[in-house]
Amino acid sequence: MAGALEIDSVSPNVNGKLEILTDDLIPTAVVPEPLPKVVTAAGGGPSESEEDDEGLEKPPKKSREIVLGRNVHTTCLAVTEPEANDEFTGDKDAYMAGVLARYRKTLLERTKHHLGYPYNLDFDYGALGQLQHFSINNLGDPFIESNYGVHSRQFEVGVLDWFARLWEIEKNEYWGYITNCGTEGNLHGILVGREVFPDGILYASRESHYSVFKAARMYRMDCEKVDTLISGEIDCSDLRVKLLANKDKPAILNVNIGTTVKGAVDDLDLVIQTLEECGFSHDRFYIHCDGALFGLMMPFVKRAPKVSFKKPIGSVSVSGHKFVGCPMPCGVQLTRMAHINVLSSNVEYLASRDATIMGSRNGHAPIFLWYTLNRKGYKGFQKEVQKCLRNAHYLKDRLRAAGISAMLNELSSTVVFERPRDEEFVRRWQLACEGNIAHVVVMPNVTIEKLDVFLNELVEKRSTWYQGDIQPPCIAADVGKDNCVCALHK
Amino acid sequence: MAGALEIDSVSPNVNGKLEILTDDLIPTAVVPEPLPKVVTAAGGGPSESEEDDEGLEKPPKKSREIVLGRNVHTTCLAVTEPEANDEFTGDKDAYMAGVLARYRKTLLERTKHHLGYPYNLDFDYGALGQLQHFSINNLGDPFIESNYGVHSRQFEVGVLDWFARLWEIEKNEYWGYITNCGTEGNLHGILVGREVFPDGILYASRESHYSVFKAARMYRMDCEKVDTLISGEIDCSDLRVKLLANKDKPAILNVNIGTTVKGAVDDLDLVIQTLEECGFSHDRFYIHCDGALFGLMMPFVKRAPKVSFKKPIGSVSVSGHKFVGCPMPCGVQLTRMAHINVLSSNVEYLASRDATIMGSRNGHAPIFLWYTLNRKGYKGFQKEVQKCLRNAHYLKDRLRAAGISAMLNELSSTVVFERPRDEEFVRRWQLACEGNIAHVVVMPNVTIEKLDVFLNELVEKRSTWYQGDIQPPCIAADVGKDNCVCALHK
């Protein structure tokens, strides 16, 4: 015992003679040479430096390929073993500081030129910087304390209560947690649906987020893809046909509160009406509302169909890094306590009542959300929603005035338009594209000034893309004839 | 168009007259009163203030109950709507600063008294504070760039390459990503196994992490629980019996590189030998190695069976917030490229080649890992592993010398001992308990000095717990007779 103390007090860092200590204390014996050999990478190129990632001023890259079965290592910051004398020379610290400073510059530039993804990049969490020193982990269930004391459950539950009020469910009737992202919310909501109805069929529109179909595959569920209207909303007449063909099995539905590409909002009331008309009583269907982006915006839009637990829905999820804004992805998932009891009844599989998907959970995200919700409040979000919808209309109107096909759904801030011909332009503005269309999601950090810079650049570039015989594409199939101003439809 | 601009330039923040603007621009019309009514919480108590969470100096709480079907709202920091004049009075900012300062104090205290969870709380990421201003998201696959530019893939791939070298697989033969936690690694590894062998049976020892059995349920897989030895290792004779009973179906195995409770390392070589002896050729089994904690420590222990892709294993996962240390949970998952191609072949379900479980992924975690790996290197980790093993031996020896039953597996820094009788003591030191045993996981931040404080306190308290007829419990069933010093076995 005293011997062990003695041994430990000989600091190997100071005298550097590890060997002396290792052999007389067998279980702590370490491998003499810890540095693993580099495995020969036949055909694998060397890691290039971070300079490759700066982007903006470089000549256009060749168009990126998605190669199944190959990893692309083009931009990789290799981890290198410290030199023995690093502590004295400071070379390593200097190298890393340089990498981080360049990276920060890239992030600033990339944050400035960003329009395509529904992330609110406008936040100031300076007051929370002090918390980065702690390993905050909300292990398991938010409502059951674990013995690990460095958690933020008190903030998490505050945030969940705020959303429970928004979506009209009593504190002791809901269960929920703060997820790692919108996908985790969908995975959870659909899993709850499957546990409630083990032989249920999953129905989701074609324009649902791909995580919905990923869930069906993971969970081994039968899945029916439902057609969409030109707006991107679920086509309830097709839903009816598919429900009637499977009347013998319960229905699990994914309802989109803002689709990824067109920002379309499925008509929740019409979906419920369709279910009822097809003979599905309330105890034979489960509805998960995927509110990734618009779940937090819609409550503040006058004519939007309301997402509410007063209706026969089972769960709602929303992303935290989208409309709220957060340094890392996160989300909120709310469901009915009654459903969670079904999930938790199988205690053989779940330690205590851990009904989350992940065990360890990021404890910083709830604090970020708590901070913003407190500062903005329901009224602050209302103002921001209004601003986004206005600016989205401005963008759509200006695109159309410039002769560019464009669509904006009534309840959305996602402007869909003709895909820019130049991939470098797409990348510069970080537009999300699908087929012939691209979109801009107007978030609180997207100002009229930023839109003007974008529009002017687009109009100018476009005049060089379409000359002589080269015509802008027809996108009527995606946005409808009324929104298309191609040669045929204008 | 110009009109829209005009409307937007009237800032509703300044003149406060939202109503004027809303009715003439229908799609942006907002609900007149955004504040949702509080749903009556029949029976739900009011949210209490954060004071409840400070803990240390208070009289012992009554033992916490896990009540299925009820949310415990005892410690909740409610989100409140800002007052109209908050911007002028600064009251809200002052309130929030107060909450955060108190919370920080709690975190400091809780971080100081922490022994039970395998988290290295000793890190300094001050240099990375500047990055908290950015919404960094590594959407989808680490090796395929998305159009979203605010990412950290170059750091992520650097970290993955470092682990590929550690686990001996070539750069162009592996695929992997940085996960949200150890559970996501297990969920991914087992999913890959199931996709490779759709009718495979999952085998895992009883002492595997509960996420393994959660995966079996989520994925609708048949699962065989295998017995364990007293050390916590998988019992390969029982594995043999169960494999022979299911010879007609492929085998998917979870091999523990350090179990949660006892830190036991399954003998990978013996598992492979057992498979071979039972007639399972290499194309009829898939091994996932759950290296949550010890996956990163074992490469630096001399006599440990090596985890290496040169052996017939399919995937390895390890946690990033455990031995490395990170403000939020994260992990590393590595598998063979050949397996991912099986997963990705179904492009109908997966957009491009997104073979991760989550879509949006925290871009900060890879930078934290990259930073620490660069600073410490393989050699730095070797020193820390050595220190942990030494200190674990010190703790075990002192416990035994004090007449307390205790066990330490040869390849582990997890010391298992008699569960302290007082729950307040357990909570104070944040010990993880199961039945009659508790454990301390000796991590790099656990010094001899901290262990001495803990030991002295335990010995002192214990002399008050066990007086007269009250005897310490027998834990021979958990740790074996040789490690038990109860009245019967000492």
Short mmCIF file of all heavy atoms in Angstrom, two decimals, chain A residues 259-282:
data_model
loop_
_atom_site.label_atom_id
_atom_site.label_comp_id
_atom_site.label_asym_id
_atom_site.label_seq_id
_atom_site.Cartn_x
_atom_site.Cartn_y
_atom_site.Cartn_z
N THR A 259 -41.75 20.62 -44.78
CA THR A 259 -40.86 19.62 -45.39
C THR A 259 -39.48 20.23 -45.62
O THR A 259 -39.31 21.45 -45.66
CB THR A 259 -41.42 19.12 -46.74
OG1 THR A 259 -41.58 20.24 -47.61
CG2 THR A 259 -42.76 18.43 -46.55
N THR A 260 -38.51 19.34 -45.81
CA THR A 260 -37.12 19.77 -45.95
C THR A 260 -36.92 20.66 -47.18
O THR A 260 -36.26 21.68 -47.10
CB THR A 260 -36.21 18.53 -46.09
OG1 THR A 260 -36.65 17.55 -45.15
CG2 THR A 260 -34.78 18.88 -45.82
N VAL A 261 -37.49 20.25 -48.31
CA VAL A 261 -37.17 20.94 -49.55
C VAL A 261 -38.08 22.15 -49.80
O VAL A 261 -37.61 23.24 -50.11
CB VAL A 261 -37.22 19.97 -50.75
CG1 VAL A 261 -36.98 20.70 -52.06
CG2 VAL A 261 -36.18 18.86 -50.56
N LYS A 262 -39.39 21.96 -49.67
CA LYS A 262 -40.31 23.03 -50.04
C LYS A 262 -40.93 23.74 -48.84
O LYS A 262 -41.75 24.66 -49.01
CB LYS A 262 -41.43 22.47 -50.93
CG LYS A 262 -40.92 21.94 -52.27
CD LYS A 262 -42.08 21.41 -53.11
CE LYS A 262 -41.58 20.85 -54.43
NZ LYS A 262 -42.67 20.17 -55.17
N GLY A 263 -40.60 23.30 -47.64
CA GLY A 263 -41.21 23.92 -46.45
C GLY A 263 -42.71 23.73 -46.41
O GLY A 263 -43.43 24.56 -45.85
N ALA A 264 -43.21 22.64 -46.97
CA ALA A 264 -44.65 22.41 -47.03
C ALA A 264 -45.17 21.86 -45.70
O ALA A 264 -44.52 21.02 -45.08
CB ALA A 264 -44.98 21.42 -48.14
N VAL A 265 -46.35 22.34 -45.31
CA VAL A 265 -46.95 21.90 -44.06
C VAL A 265 -48.12 20.97 -44.38
O VAL A 265 -49.10 21.38 -45.00
CB VAL A 265 -47.43 23.12 -43.24
CG1 VAL A 265 -48.12 22.67 -41.97
CG2 VAL A 265 -46.26 24.04 -42.92
N ASP A 266 -48.01 19.71 -43.95
CA ASP A 266 -49.12 18.78 -44.16
C ASP A 266 -50.32 19.26 -43.36
O ASP A 266 -50.18 19.80 -42.26
CB ASP A 266 -48.73 17.36 -43.69
CG ASP A 266 -47.66 16.72 -44.57
OD1 ASP A 266 -47.41 17.22 -45.68
OD2 ASP A 266 -47.07 15.70 -44.15
N ASP A 267 -51.49 19.06 -43.91
CA ASP A 267 -52.72 19.52 -43.25
C ASP A 267 -53.11 18.50 -42.18
O ASP A 267 -53.79 17.51 -42.46
CB ASP A 267 -53.82 19.70 -44.29
CG ASP A 267 -55.06 20.36 -43.69
OD1 ASP A 267 -55.29 20.24 -42.47
OD2 ASP A 267 -55.80 21.01 -44.46
N LEU A 268 -52.68 18.74 -40.96
CA LEU A 268 -52.91 17.80 -39.86
C LEU A 268 -54.39 17.48 -39.69
O LEU A 268 -54.78 16.31 -39.51
CB LEU A 268 -52.32 18.38 -38.56
CG LEU A 268 -52.56 17.60 -37.27
CD1 LEU A 268 -51.97 16.20 -37.34
CD2 LEU A 268 -51.99 18.35 -36.07
N ASP A 269 -55.23 18.52 -39.76
CA ASP A 269 -56.67 18.30 -39.56
C ASP A 269 -57.26 17.40 -40.64
O ASP A 269 -58.07 16.53 -40.37
CB ASP A 269 -57.40 19.64 -39.51
CG ASP A 269 -56.95 20.48 -38.31
OD1 ASP A 269 -56.54 19.89 -37.29
OD2 ASP A 269 -56.98 21.72 -38.41
N LEU A 270 -56.80 17.62 -41.89
CA LEU A 270 -57.30 16.80 -42.98
C LEU A 270 -56.79 15.36 -42.87
O LEU A 270 -57.51 14.41 -43.19
CB LEU A 270 -56.90 17.42 -44.33
CG LEU A 270 -57.52 16.81 -45.58
CD1 LEU A 270 -59.05 16.81 -45.51
CD2 LEU A 270 -57.05 17.56 -46.84
N VAL A 271 -55.58 15.20 -42.38
CA VAL A 271 -55.04 13.85 -42.17
C VAL A 271 -55.89 13.11 -41.14
O VAL A 271 -56.29 11.95 -41.35
CB VAL A 271 -53.56 13.91 -41.72
CG1 VAL A 271 -53.09 12.56 -41.17
CG2 VAL A 271 -52.65 14.35 -42.86
N ILE A 272 -56.20 13.79 -40.04
CA ILE A 272 -57.02 13.15 -38.99
C ILE A 272 -58.41 12.82 -39.53
O ILE A 272 -58.94 11.73 -39.32
CB ILE A 272 -57.11 14.07 -37.75
CG1 ILE A 272 -55.71 14.21 -37.10
CG2 ILE A 272 -58.11 13.54 -36.73
CD1 ILE A 272 -55.62 15.27 -36.01
N GLN A 273 -58.98 13.76 -40.28
CA GLN A 273 -60.31 13.55 -40.87
C GLN A 273 -60.28 12.34 -41.82
O GLN A 273 -61.20 11.51 -41.81
CB GLN A 273 -60.73 14.82 -41.62
CG GLN A 273 -62.16 14.81 -42.10
CD GLN A 273 -62.44 16.00 -43.04
OE1 GLN A 273 -61.93 17.11 -42.81
NE2 GLN A 273 -63.21 15.77 -44.09
N THR A 274 -59.21 12.25 -42.61
CA THR A 274 -59.08 11.12 -43.55
C THR A 274 -59.01 9.80 -42.80
O THR A 274 -59.66 8.81 -43.17
CB THR A 274 -57.82 11.31 -44.44
OG1 THR A 274 -57.89 12.60 -45.05
CG2 THR A 274 -57.73 10.23 -45.50
N LEU A 275 -58.23 9.78 -41.73
CA LEU A 275 -58.14 8.57 -40.90
C LEU A 275 -59.52 8.17 -40.38
O LEU A 275 -59.93 7.00 -40.46
CB LEU A 275 -57.20 8.81 -39.71
CG LEU A 275 -55.70 8.69 -39.99
CD1 LEU A 275 -54.89 9.40 -38.91
CD2 LEU A 275 -55.28 7.23 -40.10
N GLU A 276 -60.23 9.16 -39.87
CA GLU A 276 -61.55 8.86 -39.30
C GLU A 276 -62.50 8.37 -40.38
O GLU A 276 -63.22 7.37 -40.18
CB GLU A 276 -62.10 10.11 -38.60
CG GLU A 276 -61.33 10.44 -37.30
CD GLU A 276 -61.66 11.81 -36.71
OE1 GLU A 276 -62.28 12.64 -37.43
OE2 GLU A 276 -61.28 12.05 -35.56
N GLU A 277 -62.48 9.03 -41.51
CA GLU A 277 -63.38 8.62 -42.59
C GLU A 277 -63.06 7.22 -43.12
O GLU A 277 -63.93 6.54 -43.65
CB GLU A 277 -63.31 9.65 -43.74
CG GLU A 277 -64.04 10.95 -43.40
CD GLU A 277 -63.78 12.06 -44.42
OE1 GLU A 277 -63.12 11.80 -45.46
OE2 GLU A 277 -64.23 13.19 -44.17
N CYS A 278 -61.80 6.82 -42.98
CA CYS A 278 -61.42 5.47 -43.43
C CYS A 278 -61.69 4.42 -42.35
O CYS A 278 -61.30 3.26 -42.50
CB CYS A 278 -59.95 5.43 -43.82
SG CYS A 278 -59.59 6.38 -45.31
N GLY A 279 -62.28 4.84 -41.25
CA GLY A 279 -62.66 3.87 -40.22
C GLY A 279 -61.60 3.61 -39.16
O GLY A 279 -61.70 2.66 -38.40
N PHE A 280 -60.58 4.45 -39.11
CA PHE A 280 -59.57 4.29 -38.06
C PHE A 280 -60.02 5.06 -36.82
O PHE A 280 -60.03 6.29 -36.84
CB PHE A 280 -58.21 4.78 -38.54
CG PHE A 280 -57.54 3.87 -39.53
CD1 PHE A 280 -57.89 3.89 -40.88
CD2 PHE A 280 -56.56 2.98 -39.10
CE1 PHE A 280 -57.27 3.04 -41.79
CE2 PHE A 280 -55.94 2.13 -40.00
CZ PHE A 280 -56.29 2.16 -41.35
N SER A 281 -60.38 4.34 -35.78
CA SER A 281 -60.73 5.02 -34.52
C SER A 281 -59.43 5.51 -33.86
O SER A 281 -58.34 5.10 -34.24
CB SER A 281 -61.48 4.07 -33.60
OG SER A 281 -60.74 2.87 -33.46
N HIS A 282 -59.60 6.39 -32.86
CA HIS A 282 -58.41 7.02 -32.26
C HIS A 282 -57.46 6.03 -31.60
O HIS A 282 -56.29 6.36 -31.39
CB HIS A 282 -58.84 8.09 -31.24
CG HIS A 282 -59.40 9.32 -31.91
ND1 HIS A 282 -59.54 10.53 -31.26
CD2 HIS A 282 -59.83 9.54 -33.17
CE1 HIS A 282 -60.05 11.42 -32.09
NE2 HIS A 282 -60.25 10.83 -33.26
#
